[in-house]
Amino acid sequence: MTAAKPSHRPQRPYFSSGPCVKRPGWTPEVLKGAFLGRSHRAAEGRARLNEVITRSIALLGVPEDWQVGIVPASDTGAVEMILWALAGQRGMDVLSFESFSGTWAQDLKDILKLEDLRVLEAPYGELPDMAQIDWSRDVVLTWNGTTSGVCIPSVESVPAQHDGLVICDATSAAFAMDLPWDRLDVVTWSWQKALGGEAAHGMVALSPKAVKRLEEGSQRPLPKIFRLTNKKGLNEAIFRGDTINTPSMLCVEDALDSLRWAESVGGLEALKARSRRNLSIVENWVAKRDWVAFLSEAKETRSCTSICLKITAPWFEALDDAARSKVIKAMTGLLEEEKAGYDLAGYRDAPAGLRIWGGATVEAEDIEALLPWLDWAFARTEEKFATP
């Protein structure tokens, strides 16, 4: 393959899948009014934390009778605190089809040692057979596999009526995809994905059904940062902005800026449309190439945020895993040297390939400008690594 070196670079060549690129027009000036040097438990500190909660509820369309709070340790902390608090009260099915969903399955099996656990697995690029899920049990699912580019195909994938709790890790789906709030019971996400916010803070949303289960009590002792309940039941202060531990008010200010930007561009529908457009640009490009394809071959499960690609050139497929990783490292290194695209390698545990974040904070023009550079970098890499 030959490809001329492009002359036009993305204006913002930031395509990391987390932390993700800031919203268009962001500068450090937006943090000037941050509530610093004061206690986050002061009235104004609480008010700003509560504003993150209320704006998130409005933007995502969370039902009025749900509880939403800010928790420690990003989406990972949010998922873990829920699993430790709720897992084991009844039989549980967990979907495992990429790195993080695999971690939840491993924790439930090896750390929490659930006796009545079913792990429904699929390789990278595929979803487990959702027909095998027993919805009378608790179900743990990741709505969008950040490291595989595979997402749940539709809101109807979860039945409206189910006896158990449906626990949904939505960190790369929230603010970019439809989430069926009337079919879920626990939803978690973080600021650092689709909002382009700063790391280390997670959010958890609880249905009345989930709250009731939490108030019935955990089967195991919980560390302080995992406790959502107290002697009176649900610790409702957490869901008004009284966080379990000390949050970064700089990150809070940044999250508020992201939420206000999202509202200004048209809310959730606009965010979803921006992300879908980014995916469509990549789809059109892939359709005209014979060296690259989507890791998710099924269009209906293809993520519009974590867009994962695999190299299909015969010489690449003939390499072992270590050699493939060297090729990807060389290719992404060229892109970084040219300041044409950063952080484009697939996740370390995923098959060697490329990953482009396509969430709403990414401009479509930058995706369009990136793609010719991928052609160029592949051609340069092929010259070095392909055998005659």
Side-chain angles (χ1 to χ4, degrees):
M1 173 182 175
T2 59
K5 186 175 182 178
S7 59
H8 177 62
R9 291 172 174 80
Q11 184 175 353
R12 297 193 306 157
Y14 309 112
F15 301 101
S16 166
S17 290
C20 301
V21 66
K22 312 298 290 182
R23 55 95 171 164
W26 185 94
T27 71
E29 291 294 306
V30 305
L31 305 177
K32 285 184 65 175
F35 188 69
L36 304 179
R38 293 283 310 278
S39 171
H40 62 289
R41 301 199 189 283
E44 187 174 345
R46 280 193 174 100
R48 295 196 188 195
L49 288 158
N50 185 63
E51 185 180 352
V52 172
I53 293 170
T54 56
R55 286 183 182 273
S56 298
I57 289 171
L59 193 60
L60 290 171
V62 182
E64 291 184 1
D65 57 352
W66 281 49
Q67 301 279 356
V68 177
I70 300 165
V71 297
S74 193
D75 179 68
T76 300
V79 175
E80 293 282 7
M81 72 191 315
I82 291 299
L83 296 184
W84 279 73
L86 294 175
Q89 295 182 8
R90 67 193 302 158
M92 179 170 278
D93 287 0
V94 56
L95 274 61
S96 173
F97 58 98
E98 47 88 54
S99 180
F100 289 97
S101 59
T103 296
W104 313 145
Q106 183 178 11
D107 284 0
L108 291 166
K109 179 182 177 182
D110 298 334
I111 307 301
L112 295 179
K113 299 185 183 300
L114 297 193
E115 294 181 0
D116 189 4
L117 174 70
R118 298 196 316 157
V119 178
L120 306 179
E121 296 183 90
Y124 278 86
E126 299 178 22
L127 267 182
D129 181 4
M130 296 189 69
Q132 300 301 312
I133 297 174
D134 183 349
W135 298 99
S136 69
R137 299 156 62 85
D138 289 342
V139 176
V140 179
L141 57 85
T142 299
W143 198 267
N144 182 81
T146 312
T147 65
S148 69
V150 173
C151 63
I152 304 296
S154 71
V155 295
E156 288 78 18
S157 299
V158 179
Q161 301 298 322
H162 50 269
D163 295 331
L165 296 179
V166 179
I167 299 168
C168 175
D169 171 2
T171 194
S172 292
F175 305 101
M177 302 176 187
D178 286 315
L179 293 171
W181 295 98
D182 59 334
R183 297 166 185 248
L184 303 173
D185 297 291
V186 180
V187 180
T188 67
W189 66 92
S190 70
W191 302 341
Q192 71 196 51
K193 295 293 186 182
L195 287 178
E198 292 304 299
H201 299 76
M203 296 195 75
V204 60
L206 306 171
S207 72
K209 185 177 174 182
V211 169
K212 181 180 179 181
R213 183 82 75 80
L214 279 170
E215 291 180 333
E216 291 172 354
S218 172
Q219 295 185 332
R220 56 189 63 86
L222 299 175
K224 178 181 179 180
I225 61 170
F226 278 9
R227 295 177 203 156
L228 294 172
T229 58
N230 53 31
K231 293 179 180 179
K232 298 180 181 180
L234 187 73
N235 186 348
E236 295 186 0
I238 293 172
F239 303 91
R240 295 194 297 268
D242 205 352
T243 55
I244 298 172
N245 69 335
T246 305
S248 163
M249 297 307 290
L250 271 175
C251 292
V252 168
E253 198 67 25
D254 190 63
L256 286 171
D257 173 74
S258 298
L259 289 163
R260 292 175 187 134
W261 168 79
E263 294 162 359
S264 74
V265 298
L268 183 59
E269 290 304 314
L271 299 181
K272 291 188 299 183
R274 288 172 64 91
S275 192
R276 287 195 299 266
R277 183 186 177 196
N278 288 337
L279 173 61
S280 69
I281 292 169
V282 180
E283 286 180 326
N284 292 336
W285 173 78
V286 168
K288 300 172 185 176
R289 302 297 182 279
D290 61 3
W291 65 268
V292 66
F294 287 94
L295 189 56
S296 172
E297 295 181 1
K299 185 178 176 66
E300 63 271 16
T301 64
R302 193 173 294 159
S303 171
C304 62
T305 55
S306 53
I307 304 170
C308 294
L309 304 172
K310 60 183 178 181
I311 295 177
T312 56
W315 67 266
F316 182 86
E317 293 184 322
L319 300 175
D320 60 26
D321 289 344
R324 290 182 183 185
S325 295
K326 288 182 180 179
V327 172
I328 296 300
K329 185 175 181 180
M331 187 174 173
T332 55
L334 287 170
L335 294 165
E336 185 166 344
E337 287 174 13
E338 293 289 340
K339 298 181 173 58
Y342 299 120
D343 307 316
L344 286 158
Y347 191 72
R348 61 180 180 268
D349 294 334
L354 302 171
R355 182 171 58 161
I356 305 168
W357 182 257
T361 59
V362 178
E363 297 279 39
E365 309 89 81
D366 287 330
I367 295 277
E368 290 172 335
L370 168 69
L371 298 177
W373 284 97
L374 296 185
D375 285 325
W376 172 82
F378 176 75
R380 286 284 307 276
T381 308
E382 185 176 47
E383 292 173 0
K384 179 178 180 180
F385 287 93
T387 57

